[in-house]
């Protein structure tokens, strides 16, 4: 049987043999795994407003991230090529830095609201300046995020794309983002997972116990 799956990894094959799933895996490879985006895949990506992104540095140390924007912010340039913008953030450039060392990327698009289906896209990526001809003259929506200008673009060559089945995908109802209740004293993003400043908590009480962080309700 000819499989379009380019390189089933040795780990995949070893576990398939051990667990007796090779026949099912071969059926999946031959029917579901494509070396290009099919028209339904391209249409699916054009409707999506979020994607989960996986990258790794040159040593294989992994990072997962999340990107979101207006529907179609990840643009299908053709059946082998995607592009998405990178906007100003915290300056760490974790995903882009990994791509600079190791071009292999994985994207997972998930529909939580309508068809409850997902799409994996694996490939290699490069970083392009906004003025690069491959971006400047591509079919990319102008000003898709009003008021924000990309610092760079991630240009992805598709190697394989395949379905993520609907089992266990939760249903989420779209809703407007609620207005933050300032009385709840939610910490700023930059303080959410790190120790608050000493002047917020104080040095503790007379019994030597750490004072309660007033940002969070008991």
């Amino acid at each position: 049987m000819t499989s379009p799956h380019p390189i089933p990894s040795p780990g995949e094959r070893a576990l398939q043999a051990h667990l007796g799933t090779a026949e099912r895996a071969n059926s999946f490879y031959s029917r579901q795994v494509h070396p290009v985006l099919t028209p339904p895949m391209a249409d699916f990506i054009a409707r999506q407003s979020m994607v989960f992104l996986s990258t790794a540095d040159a040593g294989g140390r992994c990072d997962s991230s999340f990107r979101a924007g207006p529907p179609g912010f990840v643009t299908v340039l053709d059946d082998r090529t995607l592009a998405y913008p990178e906007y100003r953030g915290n300056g760490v450039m974790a995903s882009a830095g990994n791509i600079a060392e190791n071009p292999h990327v994985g994207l997972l698009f998930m529909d939580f609201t309508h068809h409850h289906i997902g799409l994996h896209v694996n490939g290699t990526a490069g970083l392009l300046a906004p003025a690069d001809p491959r971006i400047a003259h591509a079919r990319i929506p102008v000003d898709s995020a009003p008021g924000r200008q990309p610092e760079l673009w991630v240009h992805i060559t598709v190697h394989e794309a395949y379905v993520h089945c609907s089992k266990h995908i939760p249903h989420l109802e779209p809703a407007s983002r609620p207005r933050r209740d300032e009385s709840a004293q939610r910490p700023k993003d930059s303080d959410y997972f790190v120790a608050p400043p000493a002047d917020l908590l104080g040095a503790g009480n007379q019994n030597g116990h750490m004072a309660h962080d007033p940002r969070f309700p008991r």
Side-chain angles (χ1 to χ4, degrees), residues 21-178:
T21 66
E23 185 175 351
R24 278 188 289 144
N26 286 337
S27 177
F28 183 86
Y29 293 151
S30 64
R31 185 166 190 268
Q32 298 292 351
V33 183
H34 294 262
V36 298
L37 299 173
T38 66
M41 290 175 177
D43 290 343
F44 180 82
I45 292 171
R47 297 194 302 270
Q48 302 313 303
S49 60
M50 67 179 76
V51 65
F52 299 94
L53 171 69
S54 61
T55 61
D57 66 13
R61 290 172 288 270
C62 298
D63 182 74
S64 60
S65 194
F66 174 76
R67 296 292 184 273
F73 79 100
V74 178
T75 302
V76 180
L77 301 180
D78 57 49
D79 64 358
R80 297 177 182 273
T81 317
L82 300 172
Y84 70 85
E86 286 280 8
Y87 296 105
R88 177 182 172 87
N90 59 15
V92 173
M93 309 299 288
S95 299
N98 282 347
I99 291 170
E101 296 184 27
N102 177 352
H104 297 283
V105 297
L107 297 93
L108 176 59
F109 299 89
M110 295 291 285
D111 177 353
F112 294 103
T113 61
H114 296 97
H115 294 169
H116 307 96
I117 198 78
L119 175 66
H120 295 262
V121 179
N122 297 325
T124 52
L127 306 177
L128 302 180
D132 188 287
R134 285 168 288 182
I135 295 299
H137 301 297
R139 295 180 296 101
I140 292 178
V142 177
D143 200 24
S144 61
R148 304 185 71 190
Q149 294 299 318
E151 292 191 328
L152 52 84
W153 284 83
V154 179
H155 188 267
I156 299 168
T157 299
V158 175
H159 292 176
E160 61 179 13
Y162 55 92
V163 68
H164 185 100
C165 70
S166 62
K167 188 177 183 180
H168 303 310
I169 294 178
H171 176 70
L172 303 179
E173 287 287 344
S176 299
R177 187 167 179 166

